[in-house]
Amino acid sequence: MAFIFEEPSRTFSEYLLIPGYSSRECTPTNVSLRTPIVKFRRGEESALHMNIPLTSAVMQAVSDDAMAVALAKEGGVSFIYCSQSIENQVAMVARAKGYKSGFVVSDSNVSPNATLNDILALKEKTGHSTVAVTDDGTGTGRLLGLIASRDYRVSRMTGGEIVSSFMTRVEDLITAPEHTTLSEANDIIWEHKLNALPIVNSRGKLVHIVFRKDYDSHKEHTLELLDKSKKYVVGAGVNTRDYQERIPALLAAGADVFVVDSSEGYTEWQKLVLEWVRETYGDTVKIGAGNVVDEDGFRFLADNGADFVKVGIGGGSICITREQKGIGRGQATAVIDVARARDKYFEETGVYIPICSDGGIVHDYHFTLALAMGADFLMLGRYFARFDESPANRVAVGGVYMKEYWGEGSARARNWQRYDMGGNSKLSFEEGVDSYVPYAGALKDNLAMTLAKVRSTMCNCGAITIPELQSKAKLTLVSATSIVEGGAHDVVLKDN
């Protein structure tokens, strides 16, 4: 007969945290949510960290370049979805990586004989209002001038005007030499009230442009997650079919970290992906794998070179894998079991492999529970799908604004690669639904509230870091009656 686990499969809502001693230093402002993304050896630092323990799901309705930028500004990582052409995914990664750089290599350039119509077309394509005019029309040509929105009035021009007739010429611009530091460049911008500062070399060729908006954004987003080149950290999903073409293309676009997007990770398909990455790139390319729900699945992926392991099957709000196939495990139980396996693996090998809890998050307090149970970071779909920055449409349903939200296993997404078991290139049956979630506005405002709750709860447990939370937290199971007791009860609520 089958092996049967003695313990029932439990969800986050079946647990509560018990308060611990809080010292005077244990205040929300002192809490650090920094966490590793990829594996590291005992005594060493992870090569990649996040400043908040949140990633957005590899889903069409959640993670595009707009979400990648918005989440990186707050300190997390978005994994741009792979159920699209390689070309489209590469373009999304490139746009996110190019959004902020400190020193920007100009990608909006024209030659002096271009026209206003060319400028308008370029602005439509890139979204950039500042255009460099160079002798050869490239971002590294000899700088002749700049064009900003203030240099032309579309309503009073025909569109055929030559760029050289209305650009701000280089002799009227303030520029800086090639070896100017970012701090010095920002000082020049503020001193001269500039929006953009061209950096040129000794031959007058354009090297970079530094923008005022990037400085303002950095001061506003103190936890923003940047790579060594001051660009946003961006993740990307890959599948088990075209990874040998997709990964090199995404690397060329600047992707920092990958994850194998699959409903079930304990398969030879994922082993082949991980082996190919290690044989081709060694440890220079960072790639997570999953999903798994027990020690055997974790060990399999760890032994085959995964940089992190994703935990969870069937717990997503739009996932019906458990209904359709009877496969999965309660998310709390899965995280606890895999976290124990992670710690055991660390003791045996000296290699710490972070785990990502994917699915099962319903309430804000579930974030803290998942971290206390051992998750190093979380992956969220429904939570992020509600925001302005998600790619899904905002629609009015019954007089209330909603955002469309659909699973990768739904007929709408048709992401058969995610559920690939080596058969025909199609979905035989649905494992996800097409739905709506309540529209919630901007990511920044909502996330600030959620993380405030997490930090406050951590202080209640006497912890100001995630590892400290995991070592100090005490959890208790709750009964159905105590769940009722935990909400408003025995009162008549006011109608607000």
Side-chain angles (χ1 to χ4, degrees):
M1 62 177 288
F3 174 83
I4 299 175
F5 288 91
E6 294 296 328
E7 291 295 320
S9 180
R10 300 190 182 278
T11 67
F12 293 129
S13 291
E14 294 179 77
Y15 289 89
L16 286 174
L17 286 156
I18 302 297
Y21 171 73
S22 301
S23 67
R24 69 175 71 183
E25 287 77 26
C26 198
T27 62
T29 54
N30 288 335
V31 170
S32 168
L33 295 176
R34 190 169 186 264
T35 192
I37 305 176
V38 298
K39 65 184 178 184
F40 57 94
R41 292 193 172 275
R42 184 182 282 112
E44 298 179 355
E45 278 275 307
S46 174
L48 195 58
H49 281 82
M50 288 185 289
N51 292 325
I52 61 172
L54 303 180
T55 63
S56 66
V58 193
M59 299 176 69
Q60 295 174 11
V62 180
S63 297
D64 64 355
D65 50 299
M67 180 61 70
V69 168
L71 189 50
K73 284 182 178 180
E74 304 307 320
V77 173
S78 184
F79 285 91
I80 293 176
Y81 70 93
C82 56
S83 52
Q84 59 179 322
S85 70
I86 294 174
E87 180 183 39
N88 287 347
Q89 190 184 17
V90 163
M92 286 186 181
V93 170
R95 286 197 295 270
K97 292 298 293 186
Y99 184 86
K100 178 189 185 302
S101 307
F103 288 106
V104 178
V105 176
S106 180
D107 62 356
S108 293
N109 313 285
V110 294
S111 62
N113 57 359
T115 66
L116 174 59
N117 283 333
D118 294 326
I119 295 292
L120 298 177
L122 189 59
K123 183 179 179 180
E124 178 70 21
K125 178 182 177 181
T126 65
H128 300 157
S129 58
T130 300
V131 178
V133 184
T134 61
D135 60 346
D136 59 3
T138 71
T140 56
R142 184 166 57 86
L143 183 65
L144 302 179
L146 284 184
I147 294 176
S149 298
R150 66 169 180 262
D151 291 314
Y152 56 86
R153 295 181 67 180
V154 176
S155 61
R156 298 193 178 186
M157 300 171 75
T158 65
E161 290 83 358
I162 300 299
V163 161
S164 58
S165 68
F166 61 89
M167 69 182 183
T168 301
R169 296 181 177 277
V170 67
E171 51 266 28
D172 298 321
L173 292 171
I174 293 173
T175 63
E178 187 172 6
H179 299 296
T180 302
T181 67
L182 186 58
S183 177
E184 290 169 342
N186 283 320
D187 287 342
I188 295 171
I189 286 173
W190 281 93
E191 180 182 351
H192 296 279
K193 300 179 180 179
L194 306 175
N195 289 321
L197 175 68
I199 308 295
V200 296
N201 65 20
S202 58
R203 293 173 292 170
K205 291 196 171 187
L206 181 62
V207 180
H208 297 107
I209 301 179
V210 179
F211 291 95
R212 182 191 189 99
K213 66 179 178 64
D214 286 348
Y215 176 86
D216 293 339
S217 177
H218 176 68
K219 291 303 179 184
E220 181 184 357
H221 300 94
T222 57
L223 294 177
E224 65 182 355
L225 194 61
L226 305 175
D227 65 16
K228 294 178 181 178
S229 300
K230 303 292 186 180
K231 298 181 180 181
Y232 287 131
V233 173
V234 178
V238 297
N239 60 55
T240 57
R241 286 282 179 129
D242 63 11
Y243 58 91
Q244 294 185 21
E245 294 79 39
R246 192 175 290 267
I247 289 176
L250 291 167
L251 283 172
D256 298 282
V257 59
F258 300 98
V259 67
V260 182
D261 178 37
S262 176
S263 64
E264 209 268 287
Y266 197 0
T267 71
E268 187 173 4
W269 306 111
Q270 294 223 6
K271 177 182 178 181
L272 293 172
V273 176
L274 294 172
E275 286 179 343
W276 180 83
V277 169
R278 296 299 169 233
E279 290 170 1
T280 307
Y281 301 103
D283 289 329
T284 61
V285 168
K286 307 303 181 184
I287 182 167
N291 287 17
V292 299
V293 292
D294 67 356
E295 179 177 3
D296 291 344
F298 172 84
R299 281 271 175 173
F300 174 79
L301 295 176
D303 289 341
N304 282 289
D307 282 297
F308 65 87
V309 172
K310 208 142 64 76
V311 181
I313 294 176
S317 59
I318 40 66
C319 183
I320 55 173
T321 294
R322 296 181 194 174
E323 288 182 24
Q324 295 282 55
K325 296 165 63 175
I327 294 289
R329 199 175 193 187
Q331 189 65 11
T333 301
V335 170
I336 292 169
D337 197 7
V338 175
R340 285 179 181 144
R342 186 257 335 268
D343 294 344
K344 181 179 176 183
Y345 188 88
F346 180 53
E347 290 176 8
E348 294 175 4
T349 67
V351 176
Y352 186 93
I353 300 178
I355 63 173
C356 168
S357 176
D358 178 17
I361 300 290
V362 180
H363 305 292
D364 284 351
Y365 78 90
H366 288 173
F367 287 58
T368 320
L369 282 171
L371 295 171
M373 290 173 180
D376 295 280
F377 58 97
L378 318 179
M379 179 170 279
L380 303 159
R382 180 195 61 85
Y383 179 85
F384 288 117
R386 304 172 301 145
F387 303 144
D388 288 322
E389 294 83 357
S390 77
N393 293 322
R394 187 181 72 170
V395 295
V397 179
V400 178
Y401 277 122
M402 310 286 281
K403 290 277 281 190
E404 294 180 317
Y405 181 45
W406 60 97
E408 290 296 294
S410 67
R412 179 171 181 174
R414 297 188 179 280
N415 183 6
W416 62 268
Q417 295 96 332
R418 189 175 198 276
Y419 302 86
D420 184 20
M421 298 298 288
N424 294 329
S425 301
K426 64 178 182 179
L427 283 173
S428 299
F429 53 88
E430 289 185 284
E431 293 190 44
V433 299
D434 199 345
S435 64
Y436 300 106
V437 289
Y439 168 64
L443 179 148
K444 179 178 175 60
D445 299 333
N446 288 275
L447 187 58
M449 177 64 73
T450 296
L451 294 180
K453 294 178 184 177
V454 172
R455 293 185 177 101
S456 179
T457 306
M458 287 175 62
C459 287
N460 290 139
C461 297
I464 58 173
T465 67
I466 293 172
E468 191 176 13
L469 172 69
Q470 292 167 349
S471 67
K472 290 185 175 181
K474 294 182 290 185
L475 292 161
T476 182
L477 282 167
V478 296
S479 68
T481 305
S482 65
I483 293 175
V484 174
E485 180 186 64
H489 60 91
D490 300 315
V491 296
V492 178
L493 295 178
K494 292 181 178 180
D495 185 4
N496 294 322

